[in-house]
Each structure stands twice: as structure tokens, then as C-alpha cells.
Amino acid sequence: MAVNYPELWQFRFSMYPEKARWALDYKSVPHVRRSLLPGPHALTLMPRFGQKTMPILCHDGRVLKNSGTVLDYVERTWPDPPLYPVDPQQRAQALEIQKWFDDIGPALRRAAFFEWLPHTEYAARVFAMGFAEWQQKVYAFAFPCVRAVMRMDMHIGANGAETGRELTKEALDFVVRHATKTGYLVGNRFSIADLTAATVLQPTCLPPEYPALAPEPRPAGWQHWLKRWQDHPGLDYVRRMYRDHRGQSCAVSE
Ligand SMILES: N[C@@H](CCC(=O)N[C@@H](CS)C(=O)NCC(=O)O)C(=O)O
């Protein structure tokens, strides 16, 4: 009998799909990952789902869009181990923290992209990781056009990058302040708040457990971006969440 695996639509190298991957892996849920290339992704997603952002999770005839909705579904469908605190007050607090990090994610992404998107060959290679060689070649050729659209779409520019850097610092300060007592943002165990905070902040230190690494040697823009954060104590929290809780991939090939 064919197994009905949940199907996760994603970019390999992206923060919001990472929230969904992490939740599924954390709960040991075998799932299929459908990976798309930034740019052409819209042509696949729009006719099928009527939106072009991911993650999108398909399971049992349901289509879940938006990382918060996907994680809520994952939590209800596969409750163990839990990502939502049992205590209602703590649960509300964890969901509020998730929302805050979800809201600042685009600003942080804008700031990071501002520094490393100009490295054409490298950026195209990172986005096309895992695709067939011919696709990588075509993508590298077309990348300057794709990048122009990305810059417009995500409003990538100097002012936005400055705001993004300020918010990144604020977010790193936040995790240091809130995780001092127990090591976690809410209560004394790993929750959706930590999963979201660590995911959104992973570009500041690229923890080795992140499933899509930016290969070395990294171009100047990347190095500059990473150097900016390297002495912030919040990086210890991000690395610890990844090291202690990221777990193994439960992706299956069909
Ligand atoms: N608030 C949404 C944000 C999703 C989002 O921005 N996803 C990015 C990848 S990290 C995306 O799919 N971008 C493609 C596009 O905007 O065309 C969520 O939590 O799922």
C-alpha cells in the first residue's frame, strides 16, 4: 500500500521552510520535500496554490500555507514530542514570541541578502544547490534577472538593510535576555519559541546542523555579514538550539 507522506514545498536555503522542516524532523515525521528554485518557483506555485511563498504543506487532502499554520497543524497531528508548552500562559507566550520572530524575519533576510546577493556566481550556486547540473548552469546564467526581481520584490536596499541589522541585534539581545534563566525562551524546555528564534537567527552564525550550508570559501559580503555578529553572545544560544534540538532529517524520497 502506498504511504501518504506529508509533502513539504520549500526552498532548500530558506528560513520559513526551515521552521516546517525542523518541526517535522523534531517529531520524526517522514515527509517528502519538494524543492524549488527562487524565481521560477512562482510559476510552479501560483497555478497550483494561488500563492508564491513557502512553506506549503500538503497532507491528507489538506493544504496548509504559512509557517505558523503549518507548525500548528504539525503540532496537532503529531503531538509528540510537543513544541507547544502545556501551560496555557506559557503557550500563549511562546506563540507570541513565534509571531514576533516571524514578523522580523523579512527584515533580517533583507539585511543579509543586501550583503551577499551581489556575489552573482556564489548566490546562484547556493540557491541552486541540489538541482541537476544543467539546471544549475541555466540558473547561473539567468540569475542577474532573477536577482533584479528579488530585489524589487523584497525591497532590498541600503535603508532596509540598516533597519534589518538593527532588528537582528535586537533579536540577538532578546534571546540572551530571555534564555538566561533556564536556557530556553519560555519555561524550562525547548518550544516553538526557540525553534522560531533559532531559525530566524541562523543566518548570523550558520550552525553546522542547518540542512543547507553556505559552502566555503564564502565571498566578502558573507564574511562581512558574519563578522558583524561573531562576538554577540546570542550566537551561543542559536548554536546550542541547533546542536541540541535540530535532530536528523526525516525526509524520504518517493
Ligand atoms: N509569513 C510567511 C513568510 C513566508 C516566506 O516569506 N517565505 C519565503 C521563503 S523564506 C518565500 O517563499 N519567498 C518567495 C516569494 O516571496 O516569492 C510564513 O511564515 O510562511
Side-chain angles (χ1 to χ4, degrees), residues 11 14-17 41 52-55 66-68 109 153:
F11 293 140
S14 269
M15 56 172 68
Y16 295 101
H41 73 287
K52 66 183 184 66
T53 58
M54 295 178 281
N66 213 313
S67 64
R109 187 175 58 189
D153 211 24

Side-chain angles (χ1 to χ4, degrees), residues 110 113-120 143-157:
R110 196 174 292 127
F113 277 169
F114 181 73
E115 304 217 43
W116 66 264
L117 223 44
H119 300 282
T120 308
F143 188 68
C145 297
V146 171
R147 179 175 53 198
V149 176
M150 286 173 83
R151 278 188 173 137
M152 254 183 346
D153 211 24
M154 290 190 253
H155 310 287
I156 299 170

Side-chain angles (χ1 to χ4, degrees), residues 9-11 13-19 37-39 41-42 45-46 51-56 65-70 98 102-103 105-106 109 113 149-150 153-154 210:
W9 291 81
Q10 64 157 6
F11 293 140
F13 192 84
S14 269
M15 56 172 68
Y16 295 101
E18 165 67 355
K19 283 180 64 190
L37 280 165
H41 73 287
L45 295 180
M46 283 309 287
Q51 75 168 46
K52 66 183 184 66
T53 58
M54 295 178 281
I56 296 173
K65 302 172 181 177
N66 213 313
S67 64
T69 309
V70 169
Q98 170 184 230
D102 279 350
D103 288 347
R109 187 175 58 189
F113 277 169
V149 176
M150 286 173 83
D153 211 24
M154 290 190 253
Y210 187 73

Side-chain angles (χ1 to χ4, degrees), residues 10-245:
Q10 64 157 6
F11 293 140
R12 288 197 178 90
F13 192 84
S14 269
M15 56 172 68
Y16 295 101
E18 165 67 355
K19 283 180 64 190
R21 286 192 296 260
W22 191 341
L24 290 164
D25 291 343
Y26 186 71
K27 290 164 181 286
S28 306
V29 180
H31 58 282
V32 174
R33 293 179 186 169
R34 305 247 176 260
S35 303
L36 300 177
L37 280 165
H41 73 287
L43 300 174
T44 306
L45 295 180
M46 283 309 287
R48 205 182 274 243
F49 300 115
Q51 75 168 46
K52 66 183 184 66
T53 58
M54 295 178 281
I56 296 173
L57 186 77
C58 304
H59 184 235
D60 268 351
R62 293 179 191 82
V63 177
L64 295 311
K65 302 172 181 177
N66 213 313
S67 64
T69 309
V70 169
L71 264 72
D72 197 53
Y73 177 78
V74 169
E75 181 73 5
R76 279 184 287 114
T77 311
W78 299 278
D80 286 319
L83 278 168
Y84 285 6
V86 177
D87 174 73
Q89 214 176 333
Q90 289 189 350
R91 178 183 295 217
Q93 198 187 343
L95 290 172
E96 201 180 311
I97 292 174
Q98 170 184 230
K99 174 149 178 19
W100 187 72
F101 276 93
D102 279 350
D103 288 347
I104 66 159
L108 192 150
R109 187 175 58 189
R110 196 174 292 127
F113 277 169
F114 181 73
E115 304 217 43
W116 66 264
L117 223 44
H119 300 282
T120 308
E121 189 271 327
Y122 187 85
R125 185 150 50 93
V126 166
F127 286 143
M129 252 177 338
F131 287 86
E133 207 172 315
W134 71 266
Q135 287 172 302
Q136 295 187 22
K137 283 195 177 130
V138 175
Y139 193 68
F141 181 74
F143 188 68
C145 297
V146 171
R147 179 175 53 198
V149 176
M150 286 173 83
R151 278 188 173 137
M152 254 183 346
D153 211 24
M154 290 190 253
H155 310 287
I156 299 170
N159 289 345
E162 177 58 33
T163 309
R165 287 193 293 270
E166 283 164 12
L167 278 169
T168 307
K169 162 132 189 0
E170 197 182 317
L172 285 169
D173 292 347
F174 179 95
V175 296
V176 171
R177 237 183 9 259
H178 286 80
T180 312
K181 231 182 177 169
T182 65
Y184 297 101
L185 295 179
V186 179
N188 58 3
R189 54 165 298 168
F190 183 73
S191 77
I192 187 152
D194 302 295
L195 182 153
T196 307
T199 299
V200 169
L201 287 171
Q202 66 76 24
T204 58
C205 57
L206 306 178
E209 297 81 8
Y210 187 73
L213 285 176
E216 297 196 61
R218 300 189 184 107
W222 251 123
Q223 289 176 31
H224 193 230
W225 163 260
L226 292 171
K227 204 159 169 220
R228 197 186 283 286
W229 311 113
Q230 68 184 4
D231 296 324
H232 196 293
L235 267 53
D236 291 342
Y237 164 87
V238 178
R239 292 194 180 107
R240 184 164 51 80
M241 289 305 112
Y242 264 89
R243 192 188 57 231
D244 295 352
H245 300 286

